[in-house]
Amino acid sequence: MNSTLDGNQSSHPFCLLTFGYLETVDFCLLEVLIIVFLTVLIISGNIIVIFVFHCAPLLNHHTTSYFIHTMAYADLLVGVSCLVPSLSLLHYPLPVEESLTCQVFGFVVSVLKSVSMASLACISIDRYIAITKPLTYNTLVTPWRLRLCIFLIWLYSTLVFLPSFFHWGKPGYHGDVFRWCAESWHTDPYFTLFIVVMLYAPAALIVCFTYFNIFRICQQHTKEISERQARFSSQSGETGEVQTCPDKRYAMVLFRITSVFYILWLPYIIYFLLESSTGHSNRFASFLTTWLAISNSFCNCVIYSLSNSVFQRGLKRLSGAMCTSCASQTIAKDAYTVRSKDPLNGCHI
């Protein structure tokens, strides 16, 4: 098996998806297409999200906008960092050796996705406090504390994955498009357990606990409001529409984002645990689960555009401003062209 692999290394490029290699090209075609496609979607989508937040002031009224901004910037950096394996697969010369490149790339993507995971947990805590302690919420959740929390998220995420540089093991499979990462850098069961205990498990438990209680409280509020309206309607003889908990709709948007995040990351986490515990690896499975998880960096943009009406208005405002700017530039260019063709503007004066 190893001899066959070594014999193919000189004639074929290193491809995790072996059926993606074509004899007519000297690179892994399918892998390049997948990674470049996701990179373009992630970068363009998150740039739009960041600009829409600047164009829609109502989005910034929620304290969760601090964490949404953090996630958008982290996802944007994920897209930018994905340019590194794209260049490697296209045989573009990298400035440093492959082992260091794949280690740094795997570390950076792991930290950025950890920031997203921790931000989702903080968002759920923020909404939980807003519903359970509405009277003291503004004193408990202040801009200064939010900024401190975001700083601690970045610091904590960095410290969790930093031991990967000290031979603790591989933090994930994001660098496996590089041969050295796939063949010479292995996962360690103890380091995997460390990551699960310090990051995956606490974040998942926090999200489950907070959203379960949020929807339970919202259901109680809706029931109380409907009972009061029914009592008032029986006294006045008028009927009115049943009002729902005002925080429930926004919580649903955040819950969708969180659910999609964990749905896309669950295969990756399961494979990560299985390989670390059994020692058996599969290149196709590692590539598929890794880039399925990374695709989540684009999904947040889609969920916001489909679920949040304020975001939709901000997106229309941004597109309208861009169209107005393009139209004004076109008019100015046409006016300049007309003036340049006027004989009075020539050398006849």
Side-chain angles (χ1 to χ4, degrees), residues 49-57 60 69 73 317:
V49 169
I50 293 169
F51 275 106
V52 168
F53 264 90
H54 287 290
C55 292
N60 295 316
H69 265 116
Y73 281 111
R317 182 178 176 183

Side-chain angles (χ1 to χ4, degrees), residues 38 41-42 45-46 49 75 256-257 260-261 264 292-306:
L38 285 178
L41 288 181
I42 292 170
N46 284 284
V49 169
D75 289 338
R256 290 191 192 106
I257 293 175
V260 171
F261 181 90
L264 294 177
L292 180 66
I294 289 178
S295 68
N296 173 78
S297 297
F298 171 71
C299 292
N300 293 341
C301 317
V302 178
I303 296 172
Y304 259 110
S305 61
L306 295 177

Side-chain angles (χ1 to χ4, degrees), residues 96 153 216 260 272 287 295 330:
V96 294
I153 286 173
R216 180 179 59 83
V260 171
F272 190 36
F287 181 88
S295 68
T330 303

Side-chain angles (χ1 to χ4, degrees), residues 277-346:
S277 59
T278 62
H280 298 290
S281 61
N282 183 282
R283 291 179 179 178
F284 176 78
S286 67
F287 181 88
L288 182 64
T289 56
T290 295
W291 292 96
L292 180 66
I294 289 178
S295 68
N296 173 78
S297 297
F298 171 71
C299 292
N300 293 341
C301 317
V302 178
I303 296 172
Y304 259 110
S305 61
L306 295 177
S307 305
N308 195 319
S309 58
V310 179
F311 184 88
Q312 291 172 0
R313 291 198 295 270
L315 185 60
K316 291 179 181 178
R317 182 178 176 183
L318 175 62
S319 58
M322 292 178 64
C323 292
T324 303
S325 176
C326 292
S328 61
Q329 290 180 1
T330 303
I331 293 172
K333 184 177 180 180
D334 293 341
Y336 175 79
T337 303
V338 170
R339 286 197 302 269
S340 62
K341 291 181 178 180
D342 193 343
L344 295 176
N345 292 335

Side-chain angles (χ1 to χ4, degrees), residues 158-224:
T158 303
L159 293 176
V160 167
F161 292 99
L162 194 61
S164 61
F165 286 105
F166 300 99
H167 308 291
W168 280 37
K170 185 193 295 186
Y173 308 100
H174 310 103
D176 277 9
V177 291
F178 302 96
R179 184 189 297 274
W180 188 88
C181 271
E183 297 180 351
S184 302
W185 202 21
H186 305 291
T187 57
D188 183 89
Y190 296 105
F191 187 43
T192 302
L193 180 63
F194 173 78
I195 295 174
V196 170
V197 171
M198 299 300 292
L199 179 63
Y200 295 157
L205 291 174
I206 288 171
V207 166
C208 292
F209 172 81
T210 52
Y211 278 114
F212 173 79
N213 286 279
I214 286 171
F215 291 122
R216 180 179 59 83
I217 294 171
C218 284
Q219 189 175 8
Q220 292 177 352
H221 288 179
T222 303
K223 184 178 179 181
E224 292 173 0

Side-chain angles (χ1 to χ4, degrees), residues 38-307:
L38 285 178
T39 301
V40 172
L41 288 181
I42 292 170
I43 293 176
S44 58
N46 284 284
I47 287 176
I48 292 173
V49 169
I50 293 169
F51 275 106
V52 168
F53 264 90
H54 287 290
C55 292
L58 287 176
L59 287 171
N60 295 316
H61 288 178
H62 289 283
T63 53
T64 52
S65 64
Y66 285 85
F67 298 109
I68 299 296
H69 265 116
T70 302
M71 290 176 58
Y73 281 111
D75 289 338
L76 177 62
L77 291 175
V78 169
V80 173
S81 64
C82 287
L83 294 172
V84 176
S86 302
L87 295 175
S88 174
L89 290 171
L90 291 171
H91 303 298
Y92 188 85
L94 298 173
V96 294
E97 60 182 9
E98 185 182 69
S99 60
L100 181 60
T101 301
C102 80
Q103 282 182 301
V104 172
F105 174 73
F107 169 78
V108 168
V109 176
S110 298
V111 169
L112 293 175
K113 301 315 297 179
S114 172
V115 168
S116 296
M117 190 175 293
S119 296
L120 289 173
C122 289
I123 287 173
S124 66
I125 294 173
D126 173 80
R127 291 297 88 200
Y128 178 77
I129 296 173
I131 291 178
T132 57
K133 300 180 183 296
L135 299 179
T136 58
Y137 175 78
N138 289 330
T139 57
L140 292 173
V141 182
T142 61
W144 182 85
R145 288 179 179 176
L146 289 171
R147 295 188 185 98
L148 177 62
C149 183
I150 291 171
F151 170 76
L152 292 177
I153 286 173
W154 283 92
L155 179 63
Y156 183 78
S157 300
T158 303
L159 293 176
V160 167
F161 292 99
L162 194 61
S164 61
F165 286 105
F166 300 99
H167 308 291
W168 280 37
K170 185 193 295 186
Y173 308 100
H174 310 103
D176 277 9
V177 291
F178 302 96
R179 184 189 297 274
W180 188 88
C181 271
E183 297 180 351
S184 302
W185 202 21
H186 305 291
T187 57
D188 183 89
Y190 296 105
F191 187 43
T192 302
L193 180 63
F194 173 78
I195 295 174
V196 170
V197 171
M198 299 300 292
L199 179 63
Y200 295 157
L205 291 174
I206 288 171
V207 166
C208 292
F209 172 81
T210 52
Y211 278 114
F212 173 79
N213 286 279
I214 286 171
F215 291 122
R216 180 179 59 83
I217 294 171
C218 284
Q219 189 175 8
Q220 292 177 352
H221 288 179
T222 303
K223 184 178 179 181
E224 292 173 0
I225 292 171
S226 61
E227 289 176 353
R228 291 175 185 174
Q229 286 184 341
R231 195 181 308 118
F232 175 79
S233 299
S234 62
Q235 294 175 357
S236 62
E238 297 178 356
T239 58
E241 296 181 357
V242 177
Q243 297 180 356
T244 59
C245 178
D247 290 320
K248 186 175 181 180
R249 188 172 183 179
Y250 188 60
M252 279 300 299
V253 176
L254 300 174
F255 180 71
R256 290 191 192 106
I257 293 175
T258 306
S259 300
V260 171
F261 181 90
Y262 280 97
I263 288 172
L264 294 177
W265 272 87
L266 187 59
Y268 172 86
I269 295 173
I270 292 174
Y271 178 76
F272 190 36
L273 294 173
L274 289 176
E275 182 181 318
S276 299
S277 59
T278 62
H280 298 290
S281 61
N282 183 282
R283 291 179 179 178
F284 176 78
S286 67
F287 181 88
L288 182 64
T289 56
T290 295
W291 292 96
L292 180 66
I294 289 178
S295 68
N296 173 78
S297 297
F298 171 71
C299 292
N300 293 341
C301 317
V302 178
I303 296 172
Y304 259 110
S305 61
L306 295 177
S307 305

